[in-house]
Amino acid sequence: MSIEKELRKDGIEVVGTLDTLSINTIAHSVAEKICNAFPEQNFIFQNLFIALSRIPMYIAKMPEGYAEANYFYKNSSIYFKAGVSIEELEKSAVHEFIHYLQEIKDKKGNLVRLGLCEYGEIQILGLALNEGAVQLMASKALKQKEELVKYYGISFPTTSPNYYPILCNLVKQMAYIAGEDALVDSTLYGNDIFKENFANACGLDALKTVQHYLDKIMNIEEKIIKLNQILVSDNCEGSKAQKTSQKILNCKENLKKLYFKTQNLIYTSYFDNQFTKITTTADIDAYRLRLYNYKNYIGITDTYFTFNDYYITKMMNLDEKYEKILNSTAVAVVSNSPIAKFFRKIKALLGYNVELN
């Protein structure tokens, strides 16, 4: 299948190429933003600008609900939505340019990895995880501030209220556990540092399941977009409109359930696992702070009390563990003292019940 046919299959119709001035303007703006946002990556502005300005860029008609820019890896090109101002294209281009930077192909030109996403012969792993990570990086480059939003009845904080807000929130929760620096590094260079950090903290099964849930969430959101397109079409009336509306409601409810299922798995697998590693009172203090701060990342509804209940239970467990640590420490101190050893010898020799003070 030709590139044009594949694009048309996704509803993208090429209008023409983007002019050189616009290409350079966008490339300059994005290169500057990426360099400023991620100084630890040691990007050289001029080299990054040249690389980005050489990407083939086109203007195209796109379906409603689609992003204003799309990177097509099969020909390493970017397609911008027709009729959008250059200022808006600069913003939407950040996400797609990061896709270009993270692309890894084999000698035959086949895509094998896109940041956190692995393209195997049978299946693609981590597609949604990668999309959420890329958008988090794009939001940082655009200096978007965190705000509280509400989607599908869920209130949650995000730095990306318009693009992949649900995915960004959940990936941000993962980054709280596995490290934001590791997330950026793995997203840009396609290594496994972030995934390994998360698997070490939460377990490999948890990582695989979370990745699967994120992919399902992204698929549901894409389905909602397509159903909305059907709903607003001219031939969608009467019973067809009612059925389509019901399908949309069902999708939203399923997505809502899946969001909380994913969120609950992330923090329970992490904090349950870390609880078993506590050996000192300092560990307890650090654990308590980590769990307390996690509340700043979660999504909630009026009827969601799972995290609050979990928090209370863990606080009670920490108090019990604190007492055990203190008691075991005190016993260890007394039992190893010279006086304790002396009285134990007397007790053993004479058979007396000696009370130690």
Side-chain angles (χ1 to χ4, degrees), residues 162-322:
N162 299 318
Y163 296 101
Y164 296 120
I166 289 280
L167 290 180
C168 285
N169 171 263
L170 291 171
V171 175
K172 185 82 170 179
Q173 292 186 41
M174 295 177 71
Y176 178 78
I177 293 167
E180 290 190 11
D181 289 342
L183 180 67
V184 171
D185 198 70
S186 293
T187 302
L188 283 174
Y189 305 114
N191 59 56
D192 291 324
I193 296 174
F194 179 78
K195 290 184 179 181
E196 288 174 355
N197 286 357
F198 189 85
N200 289 334
C202 304
L204 183 58
D205 287 343
L207 171 63
K208 292 179 179 179
T209 304
V210 169
Q211 278 191 140
H212 176 62
Y213 286 169
L214 292 177
D215 286 338
K216 288 182 70 174
I217 287 172
M218 188 168 73
N219 290 337
I220 292 173
E221 288 198 292
E222 290 176 353
K223 187 175 181 180
I224 291 173
I225 291 173
K226 291 178 180 179
L227 287 170
N228 277 324
Q229 291 172 356
I230 294 173
L231 189 62
V232 298
S233 62
D234 295 334
N235 62 345
C236 187
E237 299 177 347
S239 60
K240 184 178 180 180
Q242 290 179 349
K243 289 180 181 179
T244 304
S245 296
Q246 187 58 50
K247 287 180 180 179
I248 293 172
L249 290 174
N250 293 340
C251 284
K252 289 181 176 180
E253 186 60 30
N254 290 335
L255 193 149
K256 181 179 178 181
K257 291 178 181 178
L258 192 54
Y259 170 86
F260 285 113
K261 197 173 181 179
T262 308
Q263 175 174 275
N264 294 344
L265 176 60
I266 293 172
Y267 70 74
T268 56
S269 60
Y270 172 63
F271 286 107
D272 285 353
N273 190 27
Q274 297 306 303
F275 188 85
T276 63
K277 300 177 182 179
I278 294 175
T279 58
T280 67
T281 55
D283 292 341
I284 289 177
D285 292 337
Y287 182 99
R288 196 189 305 271
L289 183 62
R290 290 283 288 173
L291 181 56
Y292 176 78
N293 287 336
Y294 199 86
K295 66 180 175 57
N296 298 319
Y297 293 81
I298 65 170
I300 60 172
T301 65
D302 293 337
T303 58
Y304 177 77
F305 305 108
T306 308
F307 180 78
N308 287 341
D309 294 341
Y310 183 84
Y311 179 85
I312 292 170
T313 300
K314 276 292 179 277
M315 289 300 106
M316 294 172 62
N317 293 340
L318 286 176
D319 287 340
E320 293 175 3
K321 176 144 309 208
Y322 187 83

Side-chain angles (χ1 to χ4, degrees), residues 321-347:
K321 176 144 309 208
Y322 187 83
E323 291 297 327
K324 288 181 180 179
I325 291 174
L326 287 182
N327 292 335
S328 63
T329 302
V331 169
V333 170
V334 172
S335 61
N336 291 326
S337 67
I339 295 177
K341 291 179 180 178
F342 173 73
F343 278 108
R344 280 202 298 270
K345 287 181 179 179
I346 294 176
K347 182 179 180 181

Side-chain angles (χ1 to χ4, degrees), residues 65-68 88 91-92 95 135 139 142 144-145 147 149-152 156 158-168 221 225:
Y66 274 49
E68 294 172 348
E88 290 302 313
K91 295 177 183 178
S92 59
H95 183 107
Q135 187 52 37
S139 297
L142 293 168
Q144 291 181 291
K145 294 182 179 179
E147 57 183 281
V149 298
K150 191 171 186 178
Y151 284 95
Y152 313 110
F156 56 90
T158 182
T159 54
S160 181
N162 299 318
Y163 296 101
Y164 296 120
I166 289 280
L167 290 180
C168 285
E221 288 198 292
I225 291 173

